[in-house]
Amino acid sequence: MLQAQATANLFGLNSEELKQLAMEYGEPRYRGRQIFHDLYARRQQNLENLTNLSKSFRQQLALRFAVIYPRVREKLPSRDGSSRYLLELSDGQVVEAVHMPEKSRVTLCISSQAGCAVDCRFCFTALMGLQRNLTASEILGQVYAIAQDQRMDSHTRLNIVLMGMGEPLLNFAPVMKAIRVLADPDGMRIPWRRITLSTSGIIPRIHDLAHEPVRPKLAISLNASTDEQRAALMPVNRKYPLAELLAACRAYPLRPRELLTFEYVLLDGVNDSGDDALRVAKLLHGLRAKVNLIPYNSGSGLPFRTPPFPRILEFQEILSRKHVPAFIRISRGQDIRAACGQLIVERTEAMAPEDQSH
Ligand code: SAH
Ligand code: SF4
């Protein structure tokens, strides 16, 4: 009965906000920290279960608040064990997130925006344009919605990658707020080494990230070996060209044993030549970095193809010979639209006939 009147979402508030809230109700500040632990470590969704709090405080909270995660609208399991989720937000927007179980851990790929404004030519999310930024609650809530759906126990070792829909550095404050809760020893307790933020290269925000007290690992979507090529694939390169981007990377303070990751989507006949590989090696010379080579995920609506596998191997070979560690990353869930945004875009724009067999 009490829950019926609740409107505001308690989920997504940080420790300081919860302490303030406790004080508004005439409770001591530390009650806020207890609520934080209940919400983020114990993953309680029912305010009745916050039994550290007095019954009357719980009842008062329930009059105003509920604990709301994004709703699982659809879950698409892949043959390879991963699952793609379509998660619905309170205003009906839908974002994608992916659950990828491995031997000793689980990787979750989550979104930072509904759609994206950066407009990379090879990206399905770009076709949606930017719908809106996600709130910290919605970014964090993707992790909790999937943890709940997968009945994940509290010992599961989680990796979080912000590589879903959107450009995380163009939604900086909410993304950082969500990351701080994920990393909090009293919350999800995920160490920074297991959280990766991927960016198309928003240079001023890379500088800001360098000064954050809680900082994830950083991945940069390079995707090209010259300014001309990169600007054609990623219009953001006109504003933030390669030399400045790599200077920002060189200035970026790495922690012991930390490497920068450069992602490189391989597009057949576009950026996958031997010369491209040599130029990438040169660009990254002297950086503490590794390269993840991502064969392009093809789909309807975009004019690119995946390179033949021998060319991908050759690209890797050349980088390795130049002492740049390079790994081939085949996206999980090939049968369920492996590229983020792809599922939503293809659903919306009516599928091409050859796609309907999957
Ligand atoms: N906006 C951020 C994070 C989301 S995109 C960024 O661009 O880094 C995550 C990764 O997916 C990026 O490295 C991007 O280059 C890659 N990507 C986008 N479209 C792809 C596609 N069709 N096939 C393979 N990788 C793709
Ligand atoms: Fe946005 Fe990243 Fe897609 Fe580029 S690759 S359009 S930055 S989501």
Side-chain angles (χ1 to χ4, degrees):
M1 274 307 282
L2 290 174
Q3 296 269 347
Q5 300 171 34
T7 47
N9 193 359
L10 200 62
F11 185 83
L13 298 190
N14 64 19
S15 188
E16 192 47 44
E17 289 164 334
L18 290 168
K19 286 175 187 165
Q20 287 293 334
L21 186 75
M23 284 167 61
E24 267 177 45
Y25 284 87
E27 297 279 337
R29 271 174 73 78
Y30 72 83
R31 293 278 176 226
R33 199 64 189 167
Q34 288 176 330
I35 301 174
F36 186 91
H37 185 75
D38 282 332
L39 289 184
Y40 302 120
R42 295 181 61 220
R43 290 194 243 134
Q44 290 297 340
Q45 261 202 297
N46 185 346
L47 294 177
E48 299 283 326
N49 295 339
L50 274 53
T51 45
N52 284 320
L53 312 181
S54 69
K55 191 157 196 238
S56 81
F57 185 27
R58 272 180 277 160
Q59 285 176 340
Q60 285 177 61
L61 279 179
L63 279 174
R64 211 172 119 198
F65 293 102
V67 178
I68 306 163
Y69 307 154
R71 189 174 77 82
V72 175
R73 186 149 111 181
E74 249 185 275
K75 172 181 171 184
L76 292 104
S78 160
R79 286 188 288 268
D80 68 15
S82 62
S83 299
R84 182 166 296 265
Y85 283 85
L86 291 188
L87 299 173
E88 186 176 318
L89 311 178
S90 55
D91 63 350
Q93 282 288 347
V94 177
V95 294
E96 292 189 25
V98 189
H99 175 262
M100 293 171 279
E102 290 148 48
K103 257 177 260 136
S104 60
R105 63 188 153 193
V106 168
T107 298
L108 298 181
C109 175
I110 59 172
S111 296
S112 56
Q113 299 179 308
C116 185
V118 179
D119 209 18
C120 303
R121 299 291 181 246
F122 48 82
C123 175
F124 292 89
T125 302
L127 298 175
M128 301 170 66
L130 177 64
Q131 304 296 308
R132 69 169 172 84
N133 280 327
L134 302 192
T135 63
S137 171
E138 291 165 340
I139 297 165
L140 201 55
Q142 296 168 63
V143 174
Y144 284 75
I146 294 178
Q148 186 182 57
D149 188 72
Q150 295 281 341
R151 298 189 170 76
M152 224 179 257
D153 70 45
S154 57
H155 304 296
T156 305
R157 283 163 57 94
L158 273 181
N159 275 342
I160 306 290
V161 297
L162 280 140
M163 292 185 189
M165 300 167 77
E167 169 48 60
L169 293 190
L170 291 179
N171 188 20
F172 193 82
V175 163
M176 293 315 302
K177 185 177 177 189
I179 287 175
R180 285 193 289 268
V181 174
L182 289 174
D184 196 302
D186 226 7
M188 263 266 180
R189 304 185 69 149
I190 304 179
W192 64 263
R193 283 188 180 282
R194 292 203 262 128
I195 307 175
T196 301
L197 182 156
S198 172
T199 179
S200 57
I202 312 297
I203 295 174
R205 297 291 87 73
I206 293 176
H207 291 306
D208 292 346
L209 190 63
H211 297 111
E212 283 289 316
V214 179
R215 190 152 55 93
K217 289 202 295 181
L218 181 60
I220 311 274
S221 295
L222 185 64
N223 296 338
S225 67
T226 67
D227 270 319
E228 192 189 0
Q229 194 186 48
R230 194 165 190 268
L233 294 171
M234 304 176 71
V236 70
N237 193 76
R238 298 207 179 91
K239 198 160 175 194
Y240 303 121
L242 278 175
E244 287 167 37
L245 177 58
L246 290 161
C249 292
R250 284 176 207 285
Y252 193 74
L254 292 169
R255 290 155 285 199
R257 291 186 297 122
E258 183 178 6
L259 296 179
L260 285 171
T261 300
F262 287 87
E263 294 152 292
Y264 197 98
V265 178
L266 286 161
L267 306 164
D268 185 26
V270 176
N271 64 357
D272 61 344
S273 70
D275 284 347
D276 284 312
L278 287 171
R279 281 192 294 262
V280 168
K282 208 165 178 181
L283 286 172
L284 304 187
H285 183 75
L287 269 165
R288 273 164 57 191
K290 64 172 173 141
V291 174
N292 282 344
L293 298 171
I294 313 171
Y296 170 66
N297 283 301
S298 58
S300 52
L302 295 178
F304 298 101
R305 279 167 322 209
T306 315
F309 201 65
R311 183 136 16 98
I312 297 170
L313 283 176
E314 200 183 315
F315 203 97
Q316 181 192 30
E317 252 309 295
I318 297 173
L319 287 176
S320 304
R321 254 187 276 134
K322 293 285 174 191
H323 310 292
V324 178
F327 305 89
I328 299 173
R329 293 271 182 255
I330 310 283
S331 309
R332 306 268 306 259
Q334 292 294 328
D335 50 338
I336 47 163
R337 300 287 171 275
C340 248
Q342 198 172 357
L343 198 61
I344 294 176
V345 166
E346 290 190 2
R347 287 276 165 84
T348 324
E349 306 211 335
M351 286 200 245
E354 75 268 23
D355 287 328
Q356 292 181 338
S357 57
H358 292 269

PDB file of all heavy atoms in Angstrom, residues 303-315:
ATOM      1  N   PRO A 303      27.926   0.704 -44.941  1.00  0.00           N
ATOM      2  CA  PRO A 303      28.643   0.285 -46.155  1.00  0.00           C
ATOM      3  C   PRO A 303      30.041  -0.277 -45.883  1.00  0.00           C
ATOM      4  O   PRO A 303      30.987   0.106 -46.547  1.00  0.00           O
ATOM      5  CB  PRO A 303      28.743   1.600 -46.926  1.00  0.00           C
ATOM      6  CG  PRO A 303      28.873   2.646 -45.854  1.00  0.00           C
ATOM      7  CD  PRO A 303      28.096   2.140 -44.671  1.00  0.00           C
ATOM      8  N   PHE A 304      30.205  -1.138 -44.883  1.00  0.00           N
ATOM      9  CA  PHE A 304      31.535  -1.702 -44.596  1.00  0.00           C
ATOM     10  C   PHE A 304      31.459  -3.218 -44.574  1.00  0.00           C
ATOM     11  O   PHE A 304      30.384  -3.795 -44.421  1.00  0.00           O
ATOM     12  CB  PHE A 304      32.043  -1.198 -43.242  1.00  0.00           C
ATOM     13  CG  PHE A 304      32.214   0.291 -43.175  1.00  0.00           C
ATOM     14  CD1 PHE A 304      31.256   1.088 -42.553  1.00  0.00           C
ATOM     15  CD2 PHE A 304      33.326   0.903 -43.741  1.00  0.00           C
ATOM     16  CE1 PHE A 304      31.402   2.472 -42.496  1.00  0.00           C
ATOM     17  CE2 PHE A 304      33.494   2.287 -43.692  1.00  0.00           C
ATOM     18  CZ  PHE A 304      32.520   3.065 -43.071  1.00  0.00           C
ATOM     19  N   ARG A 305      32.649  -3.838 -44.706  1.00  0.00           N
ATOM     20  CA  ARG A 305      32.734  -5.297 -44.589  1.00  0.00           C
ATOM     21  C   ARG A 305      33.838  -5.669 -43.612  1.00  0.00           C
ATOM     22  O   ARG A 305      34.766  -4.891 -43.384  1.00  0.00           O
ATOM     23  CB  ARG A 305      33.055  -5.920 -45.951  1.00  0.00           C
ATOM     24  CG  ARG A 305      31.840  -6.082 -46.870  1.00  0.00           C
ATOM     25  CD  ARG A 305      32.355  -6.397 -48.237  1.00  0.00           C
ATOM     26  NE  ARG A 305      33.568  -5.580 -48.416  1.00  0.00           N
ATOM     27  CZ  ARG A 305      34.030  -5.125 -49.560  1.00  0.00           C
ATOM     28  NH1 ARG A 305      33.464  -5.433 -50.653  1.00  0.00           N
ATOM     29  NH2 ARG A 305      35.120  -4.378 -49.632  1.00  0.00           N
ATOM     30  N   THR A 306      33.738  -6.889 -43.090  1.00  0.00           N
ATOM     31  CA  THR A 306      34.781  -7.412 -42.212  1.00  0.00           C
ATOM     32  C   THR A 306      35.937  -7.889 -43.072  1.00  0.00           C
ATOM     33  O   THR A 306      35.701  -8.563 -44.073  1.00  0.00           O
ATOM     34  CB  THR A 306      34.219  -8.603 -41.407  1.00  0.00           C
ATOM     35  OG1 THR A 306      32.936  -8.230 -40.918  1.00  0.00           O
ATOM     36  CG2 THR A 306      35.116  -9.002 -40.264  1.00  0.00           C
ATOM     37  N   PRO A 307      37.181  -7.577 -42.724  1.00  0.00           N
ATOM     38  CA  PRO A 307      38.298  -8.076 -43.540  1.00  0.00           C
ATOM     39  C   PRO A 307      38.406  -9.593 -43.446  1.00  0.00           C
ATOM     40  O   PRO A 307      37.980 -10.180 -42.449  1.00  0.00           O
ATOM     41  CB  PRO A 307      39.532  -7.435 -42.884  1.00  0.00           C
ATOM     42  CG  PRO A 307      39.016  -6.381 -41.967  1.00  0.00           C
ATOM     43  CD  PRO A 307      37.625  -6.766 -41.589  1.00  0.00           C
ATOM     44  N   PRO A 308      38.980 -10.221 -44.483  1.00  0.00           N
ATOM     45  CA  PRO A 308      39.231 -11.666 -44.376  1.00  0.00           C
ATOM     46  C   PRO A 308      40.191 -11.941 -43.216  1.00  0.00           C
ATOM     47  O   PRO A 308      41.061 -11.109 -42.922  1.00  0.00           O
ATOM     48  CB  PRO A 308      39.883 -12.021 -45.715  1.00  0.00           C
ATOM     49  CG  PRO A 308      40.106 -10.740 -46.445  1.00  0.00           C
ATOM     50  CD  PRO A 308      39.411  -9.642 -45.747  1.00  0.00           C
ATOM     51  N   PHE A 309      40.022 -13.094 -42.573  1.00  0.00           N
ATOM     52  CA  PHE A 309      40.780 -13.350 -41.346  1.00  0.00           C
ATOM     53  C   PHE A 309      42.294 -13.275 -41.515  1.00  0.00           C
ATOM     54  O   PHE A 309      42.986 -12.721 -40.652  1.00  0.00           O
ATOM     55  CB  PHE A 309      40.337 -14.672 -40.697  1.00  0.00           C
ATOM     56  CG  PHE A 309      40.692 -14.711 -39.243  1.00  0.00           C
ATOM     57  CD1 PHE A 309      40.095 -13.829 -38.345  1.00  0.00           C
ATOM     58  CD2 PHE A 309      41.647 -15.605 -38.766  1.00  0.00           C
ATOM     59  CE1 PHE A 309      40.436 -13.838 -36.996  1.00  0.00           C
ATOM     60  CE2 PHE A 309      41.983 -15.621 -37.413  1.00  0.00           C
ATOM     61  CZ  PHE A 309      41.375 -14.741 -36.528  1.00  0.00           C
ATOM     62  N   PRO A 310      42.851 -13.786 -42.625  1.00  0.00           N
ATOM     63  CA  PRO A 310      44.314 -13.693 -42.778  1.00  0.00           C
ATOM     64  C   PRO A 310      44.818 -12.246 -42.715  1.00  0.00           C
ATOM     65  O   PRO A 310      45.898 -11.992 -42.185  1.00  0.00           O
ATOM     66  CB  PRO A 310      44.568 -14.287 -44.171  1.00  0.00           C
ATOM     67  CG  PRO A 310      43.387 -15.154 -44.434  1.00  0.00           C
ATOM     68  CD  PRO A 310      42.234 -14.537 -43.721  1.00  0.00           C
ATOM     69  N   ARG A 311      44.057 -11.319 -43.213  1.00  0.00           N
ATOM     70  CA  ARG A 311      44.494  -9.913 -43.160  1.00  0.00           C
ATOM     71  C   ARG A 311      44.492  -9.397 -41.718  1.00  0.00           C
ATOM     72  O   ARG A 311      45.349  -8.616 -41.322  1.00  0.00           O
ATOM     73  CB  ARG A 311      43.604  -9.043 -44.064  1.00  0.00           C
ATOM     74  CG  ARG A 311      44.037  -7.615 -44.110  1.00  0.00           C
ATOM     75  CD  ARG A 311      44.063  -6.928 -45.476  1.00  0.00           C
ATOM     76  NE  ARG A 311      43.352  -7.585 -46.541  1.00  0.00           N
ATOM     77  CZ  ARG A 311      42.113  -7.266 -46.949  1.00  0.00           C
ATOM     78  NH1 ARG A 311      41.447  -6.282 -46.356  1.00  0.00           N
ATOM     79  NH2 ARG A 311      41.565  -7.914 -47.945  1.00  0.00           N
ATOM     80  N   ILE A 312      43.528  -9.861 -40.949  1.00  0.00           N
ATOM     81  CA  ILE A 312      43.457  -9.468 -39.526  1.00  0.00           C
ATOM     82  C   ILE A 312      44.695  -9.992 -38.798  1.00  0.00           C
ATOM     83  O   ILE A 312      45.349  -9.273 -38.031  1.00  0.00           O
ATOM     84  CB  ILE A 312      42.158 -10.019 -38.890  1.00  0.00           C
ATOM     85  CG1 ILE A 312      40.937  -9.391 -39.587  1.00  0.00           C
ATOM     86  CG2 ILE A 312      42.120  -9.779 -37.391  1.00  0.00           C
ATOM     87  CD1 ILE A 312      39.599 -10.008 -39.223  1.00  0.00           C
ATOM     88  N   LEU A 313      45.044 -11.261 -39.107  1.00  0.00           N
ATOM     89  CA  LEU A 313      46.237 -11.862 -38.485  1.00  0.00           C
ATOM     90  C   LEU A 313      47.495 -11.106 -38.887  1.00  0.00           C
ATOM     91  O   LEU A 313      48.402 -10.884 -38.071  1.00  0.00           O
ATOM     92  CB  LEU A 313      46.368 -13.331 -38.904  1.00  0.00           C
ATOM     93  CG  LEU A 313      45.426 -14.300 -38.192  1.00  0.00           C
ATOM     94  CD1 LEU A 313      45.579 -15.702 -38.777  1.00  0.00           C
ATOM     95  CD2 LEU A 313      45.710 -14.317 -36.692  1.00  0.00           C
ATOM     96  N   GLU A 314      47.549 -10.733 -40.151  1.00  0.00           N
ATOM     97  CA  GLU A 314      48.723 -10.024 -40.650  1.00  0.00           C
ATOM     98  C   GLU A 314      48.876  -8.674 -39.942  1.00  0.00           C
ATOM     99  O   GLU A 314      49.989  -8.263 -39.579  1.00  0.00           O
ATOM    100  CB  GLU A 314      48.552  -9.808 -42.149  1.00  0.00           C
ATOM    101  CG  GLU A 314      49.828  -9.525 -42.888  1.00  0.00           C
ATOM    102  CD  GLU A 314      49.522  -9.244 -44.359  1.00  0.00           C
ATOM    103  OE1 GLU A 314      48.714  -9.987 -44.961  1.00  0.00           O
ATOM    104  OE2 GLU A 314      50.060  -8.254 -44.874  1.00  0.00           O
ATOM    105  N   PHE A 315      47.757  -7.978 -39.766  1.00  0.00           N
ATOM    106  CA  PHE A 315      47.770  -6.683 -39.073  1.00  0.00           C
ATOM    107  C   PHE A 315      48.353  -6.864 -37.666  1.00  0.00           C
ATOM    108  O   PHE A 315      49.221  -6.111 -37.218  1.00  0.00           O
ATOM    109  CB  PHE A 315      46.335  -6.147 -38.999  1.00  0.00           C
ATOM    110  CG  PHE A 315      46.226  -4.659 -38.826  1.00  0.00           C
ATOM    111  CD1 PHE A 315      46.021  -3.831 -39.920  1.00  0.00           C
ATOM    112  CD2 PHE A 315      46.319  -4.076 -37.562  1.00  0.00           C
ATOM    113  CE1 PHE A 315      45.906  -2.448 -39.764  1.00  0.00           C
ATOM    114  CE2 PHE A 315      46.214  -2.708 -37.395  1.00  0.00           C
ATOM    115  CZ  PHE A 315      46.004  -1.886 -38.496  1.00  0.00           C
TER     116      PHE A 315
END
